[in-house]
Amino acid sequence: MQQPSSLWSRLAPPVVRNLIVINLIIWVASIVLLRRGIDLNDLLGLHYFAADKFRLFQLVSYTFLHDTSSLEHVLSNMFAVWMFGSAIEQVWGSRRFIFFYILCGISAGLTQELSWMYELRGIEGYQMVDIGTELLSTRAFLDLLITVGASGSVFGLLLAYGMLFPNSYVFVGFFIPLKAKYFVLIYGALELYLGTHNTGGSIAHFAHLGGIIGGLILILLWRKKGEISRQSFN
């Protein structure tokens, strides 16, 4: 006789709930280790490719890390993984879903690297960089550049949700209903505007766009190969 599933299992499919658990565990571990002098975000976060601290695996590992000073950062991303990812995993299956999630994160990371490359063009010609409070060597300055968070993968999920469920409603700010297809277009345009106008502080807007672009390319390739249906759901 089939055993009744747990409430947690009914609320989210396996990959989604495992992603949420893993991210939360790593966030707590990051805080505990930081107090002991070990900075996981510095070790596993995404550094600029020309920095001494850059490692290739960081293109994946950075997506499982979040700001240790902000509970909102990890909770908002995990809420989005649950809200959009659950429906997508149920349609695509677990293996395709996790492949899509990771690839969107990599695409976001590569886009962030290109953004840094553009912003830092010519800096290698200088030995010292003035950061306002002190002078740093160029090598030390490049090591300070770091990106963490699952937002790139989340924006890929947002795109996929908008393509799969274009006429379903997303509640903006929990109160304003907006069809998913319009939500994706507006959010994408907003990220492009914020990125090109260099607003939003430390938020990696171009990385978000990179997650969307990577997700779009993969979905179009899968559709061309007939691996996923063009059908959308209301």
Side-chain angles (χ1 to χ4, degrees), residues 83-84 87-88 155 157-172 176-188 232-234:
M83 182 168 64
F84 300 118
I88 297 169
F155 272 79
L157 295 182
L158 175 60
L159 170 83
Y161 187 87
M163 295 179 73
L164 283 170
F165 308 96
N167 295 314
S168 63
Y169 282 92
V170 175
F171 284 86
V172 182
I176 304 173
L178 187 66
K179 285 190 175 181
K181 56 186 176 183
Y182 301 131
F183 183 75
V184 171
L185 290 174
I186 293 172
Y187 222 141
S232 60
F233 307 88
N234 292 323

Side-chain angles (χ1 to χ4, degrees), residues 13-234:
V15 172
V16 165
R17 66 174 181 265
N18 287 333
L19 283 172
I20 294 172
V21 170
I22 290 170
N23 275 270
L24 291 175
I25 289 174
I26 292 177
W27 183 76
V28 173
S30 298
I31 295 175
V32 173
L33 291 174
L34 186 60
R35 293 173 179 173
R36 299 184 179 182
I38 301 173
D39 190 346
L40 282 186
N41 283 6
D42 189 47
L43 293 171
L44 304 178
L46 180 63
H47 287 272
Y48 183 46
F49 77 94
D52 292 335
K53 292 184 177 181
F54 173 76
R55 301 291 184 271
L56 191 60
F57 64 77
Q58 293 170 355
L59 285 167
V60 174
S61 61
Y62 88 98
T63 64
F64 293 93
L65 299 162
H66 290 84
D67 183 2
T68 54
S69 65
S70 171
L71 179 61
E72 179 185 0
H73 188 209
V74 65
L75 287 185
S76 61
N77 273 341
M78 292 306 100
F79 177 75
V81 167
W82 170 75
M83 182 168 64
F84 300 118
S86 295
I88 297 169
E89 184 179 349
Q90 289 171 358
V91 173
W92 282 351
S94 296
R95 293 181 64 180
R96 189 177 299 277
F97 172 79
I98 189 59
F99 181 82
F100 181 84
Y101 181 90
I102 292 175
L103 184 135
C104 287
I106 294 173
S107 176
L110 291 174
T111 306
Q112 180 60 34
E113 293 287 348
L114 291 175
S115 176
W116 275 330
M117 186 187 302
Y118 177 78
E119 293 175 1
L120 299 171
R121 60 194 183 281
I123 196 175
E124 289 83 0
Y126 295 90
Q127 293 185 341
M128 304 295 292
V129 177
D130 185 359
I131 64 172
T133 57
E134 61 178 317
L135 283 174
L136 292 176
S137 68
T138 299
R139 292 180 66 178
F141 170 73
L142 292 179
D143 276 337
L144 293 178
L145 301 175
I146 184 171
T147 292
V148 297
S151 299
S153 295
V154 166
F155 272 79
L157 295 182
L158 175 60
L159 170 83
Y161 187 87
M163 295 179 73
L164 283 170
F165 308 96
N167 295 314
S168 63
Y169 282 92
V170 175
F171 284 86
V172 182
F174 296 100
F175 297 106
I176 304 173
L178 187 66
K179 285 190 175 181
K181 56 186 176 183
Y182 301 131
F183 183 75
V184 171
L185 290 174
I186 293 172
Y187 222 141
L190 178 63
E191 289 298 315
L192 179 60
Y193 173 84
L194 294 175
T196 54
H197 287 74
N198 197 28
T199 59
S202 60
I203 299 175
H205 297 292
F206 282 113
H208 297 170
L209 286 173
I212 291 176
I213 293 170
L216 178 61
I217 293 173
L218 187 56
I219 289 174
L220 293 178
L221 285 174
W222 281 343
R223 284 185 173 181
K224 185 177 181 180
K225 293 180 179 181
E227 294 182 15
I228 60 173
S229 172
R230 294 177 179 269
Q231 178 185 5
S232 60
F233 307 88
N234 292 323

